[in-house]
Amino acid sequence: MYGSATQTLAQYAFHEDPFRAKIPNLAELQLAAARESFAEKREKIRVLDRRASEMGIDEIRTLDDLVPLLFSHTSYKSYPESFVDNSQWRNMSLWLGTLSACSTANIDNDGIATIDDWLARAHAAGHHVFASSGTSGKSSFMNQSAAERDLAIAACGAATNFALGGARPDGRFDIFTMMPARATHKMAAFANSYYVPYSATGDKFFRLSDDPITAFDAMRPAQLRRLLAAGKIGPGEIAAYEAIVAARQEKRAAEWSAWLDLIAEHRHNPIFFGLMWGTGYQIAEGLRARGVEDGDFHPDTMASFGGGTKGVSLPDDYKQQIISFYGFTPKRMADTYGMSEVNGLCGKVPGTQSYSVPPWLIPLVLDKSGEVLINPTDGNGTIEGRMAFFDVTADSHWGGIISGDKVVVEFGGGIDDVRTTMVHKVARYADLEEGEGKLTCAGSIDSYVRGSLSAAVDA
């Protein structure tokens, strides 16, 4: 349930252009919304309550009070892996409940075979849990309500429209997206709905694959390694899984080749691509090998990019190569920045390298350890540090989250008629020479989760 300040800010997720909206006293409104959220959710999220009690925080007086209460992305993967390995789905539901603002006792945990079955049961009970990509071998799981899911879809759409310079759907594009119709990732619901008004074929997109993206597939390799080390499975089961993976890779290679052929065939029609940057570059490489020259696309072709490069090795000038190959202009290439743990995205201002923060996300720039807020005290100035957000629209979970990003953020500036806080530069600490380092909050929050979970399991 949203308080009045939160409702005021949340409605901008459905605004035609929230990044240019003139909101009187935005900073005061954001602080009031954070205060409302804390007062409501402290009673519902045991982990938050314990952290606040130990830090002596009874209310949010300033943004500094939010800093000790921020969760890390690792908080949402703090479940013991044994719960999944041993099919302890009741315990997984109890774990989810420790980080949720609503009870998860209504999840039917009987007869579940895989982690994706558990997610389906959670959805059936009204918990629209989504999973991270699980590139580390352990997926994150975060709860969201149906209303919050719908708000997130609208908010991501607003950021994409903004980054496209105000593009309007006209139903004449061929939609090529790498996102299958079914996936555990948060952006699947956005992709399934956002492109439809642009599409010449309704919801019939040219997808890279029809195979769903599942949490099981992301987590299975690491799980098998654990089970093998524990002597619970033998080499034969590993070999059987490797055969499945080899067959899947062969199928995906064929799907990739067929997809490239379709893109080449349709390139003189207006195309709207939904891609990650690495995929955009790989398409360019594959089509060049087929004889497609730079710029040989319909002049209205455009794309929405996101998700970083995800471990793909790319040349330093990969973005410029992508722009040249597809013939993109700034208003036909949407780029966004954000975290899956918050609702919506920061949209890149067309023709710049700067991202505009939407009004319902409170930008918090911290020192590297995540302990000290370094936002300018007068609300003006450019700061370098670790990015964190407080999402006032978070409904089923706590809205404070720390990223792994080193950023340059400008407060009180703006570009042209865009007056929200600007993120001018983003880099992953893990990719920098200085490295990630440890977040002070992460270990503390995880320990609270373990304590709350132990009490719930015993009960």
Side-chain angles (χ1 to χ4, degrees):
M1 180 182 295
Y2 291 157
S4 60
T6 304
Q7 288 178 346
T8 299
L9 290 172
Q11 70 181 354
Y12 284 99
F14 301 93
H15 192 278
E16 182 179 9
D17 187 350
F19 301 93
R20 292 185 176 88
K22 304 300 186 287
I23 307 175
N25 304 314
L26 176 59
E28 291 81 358
L29 195 61
Q30 288 176 331
L31 182 59
R35 188 175 292 127
E36 290 172 352
S37 182
F38 176 70
E40 182 217 346
K41 291 188 173 61
R42 180 175 186 176
E43 299 177 356
K44 299 177 179 180
I45 304 176
R46 288 166 289 181
V47 171
L48 175 63
D49 179 61
R50 180 176 174 186
R51 177 66 170 174
S53 296
E54 293 197 2
M55 300 305 297
I57 299 173
D58 295 320
E59 66 173 309
I60 305 302
R61 297 179 178 88
T62 70
L63 295 183
D64 292 274
D65 293 326
L66 286 173
V67 176
L69 306 178
L70 297 173
F71 290 7
S72 163
H73 64 94
T74 61
S75 302
Y76 295 97
K77 58 174 69 174
S78 58
Y79 54 90
E81 292 168 325
S82 60
F83 288 179
V84 178
D85 293 349
N86 299 323
S87 299
Q88 296 174 332
W89 305 115
R90 173 181 172 274
N91 289 347
M92 277 297 290
S93 296
L94 289 172
W95 166 81
L96 181 66
T98 67
L99 292 163
S100 299
C102 49
S103 172
T104 56
N106 62 337
I107 298 176
D108 179 4
N109 300 294
D110 293 334
I112 294 175
T114 70
I115 189 68
D116 294 286
D117 294 338
W118 176 71
L119 288 170
R121 292 288 182 84
H123 288 197
H127 306 281
H128 295 273
V129 184
F130 62 88
S132 70
S133 56
T135 52
S136 66
K138 190 177 186 183
S139 291
S140 299
F141 299 105
M142 178 176 278
N143 204 353
Q144 61 177 349
S145 65
E148 188 177 5
R149 176 201 57 196
D150 294 343
L151 182 146
I153 291 171
C156 290
T160 304
N161 291 341
F162 169 78
L164 286 171
R168 294 292 180 268
D170 55 10
R172 63 189 181 91
F173 287 83
D174 293 335
I175 308 300
F176 280 83
T177 174
M178 56 186 292
M179 183 69 73
R182 292 184 296 134
T184 54
H185 195 276
K186 185 177 186 178
M187 294 305 290
F190 164 72
N192 285 341
S193 63
Y194 176 76
Y195 298 108
V196 172
Y198 287 94
S199 173
T201 54
D203 61 356
K204 306 300 182 185
F205 304 161
F206 295 95
R207 300 181 187 272
L208 173 57
S209 176
D210 291 326
D211 290 341
I213 296 175
T214 69
F216 177 82
D217 286 339
M219 299 170 67
R220 186 59 171 166
Q223 182 187 48
L224 288 174
R225 288 193 294 271
R226 292 193 303 274
L227 295 175
L228 181 64
K232 294 183 178 180
I233 61 171
E237 290 171 271
I238 297 293
Y241 178 74
E242 289 175 343
I244 292 172
V245 170
R248 185 179 298 156
Q249 289 175 338
E250 183 176 350
K251 179 185 177 185
R252 288 179 178 170
E255 289 174 334
W256 174 258
S257 181
W259 202 49
L260 291 182
D261 289 341
L262 278 173
I263 295 172
E265 178 185 336
H266 287 255
R267 72 184 187 279
H268 295 141
N269 299 336
I271 292 178
F272 195 162
F273 289 102
L275 304 171
M276 289 168 55
W277 283 104
T279 309
Y281 182 80
Q282 290 169 333
I283 290 171
E285 280 196 316
L287 292 184
R288 282 175 178 148
R290 285 165 164 77
V292 177
E293 298 182 351
D294 285 15
D296 189 16
F297 284 83
H298 190 281
D300 292 339
T301 291
M302 58 186 184
S304 172
F305 288 102
T309 58
K310 294 296 184 185
V312 179
S313 180
L314 299 174
D316 293 339
D317 66 342
Y318 72 92
K319 286 190 177 181
Q320 186 54 53
Q321 287 200 47
I322 287 172
I323 292 170
S324 298
F325 181 74
Y326 298 96
F328 292 136
T329 63
K331 290 189 176 183
R332 292 191 289 107
M333 186 177 65
D335 191 5
T336 54
Y337 165 66
M339 304 175 65
S340 61
E341 291 85 359
V342 300
N343 292 322
L345 299 161
C346 303
K348 180 177 279 189
V349 182
T352 77
Q353 297 301 311
S354 301
Y355 301 90
S356 178
V357 181
W360 58 88
L361 295 184
I362 303 175
L364 305 170
V365 184
L366 314 176
D367 67 338
K368 185 178 179 180
S369 69
E371 295 181 279
V372 180
L373 181 69
I374 57 177
N375 286 21
T377 55
D378 63 355
N380 293 282
T382 300
I383 302 294
E384 182 178 65
R386 182 184 288 273
M387 188 80 254
F389 292 105
F390 188 83
D391 179 4
V392 306
T393 68
D395 185 19
S396 294
H397 58 272
W398 178 233
I401 191 77
I402 299 179
S403 80
D405 297 333
K406 185 176 184 179
V407 293
V408 175
V409 178
E410 181 184 4
F411 293 84
I415 298 174
D416 297 328
D417 59 342
V418 182
R419 299 299 176 190
T420 65
T421 300
M422 293 288 167
V423 180
H424 291 308
K425 188 177 180 180
V426 181
R428 295 286 295 174
Y429 274 109
D431 296 333
L432 300 174
E433 187 175 346
E434 62 185 289
E436 170 66 74
K438 290 186 177 181
L439 287 174
T440 302
C441 71
S444 299
I445 299 299
D446 288 358
S447 70
Y448 300 149
V449 171
R450 288 192 295 271
S452 294
L453 179 60
S454 178
V457 171
D458 290 343

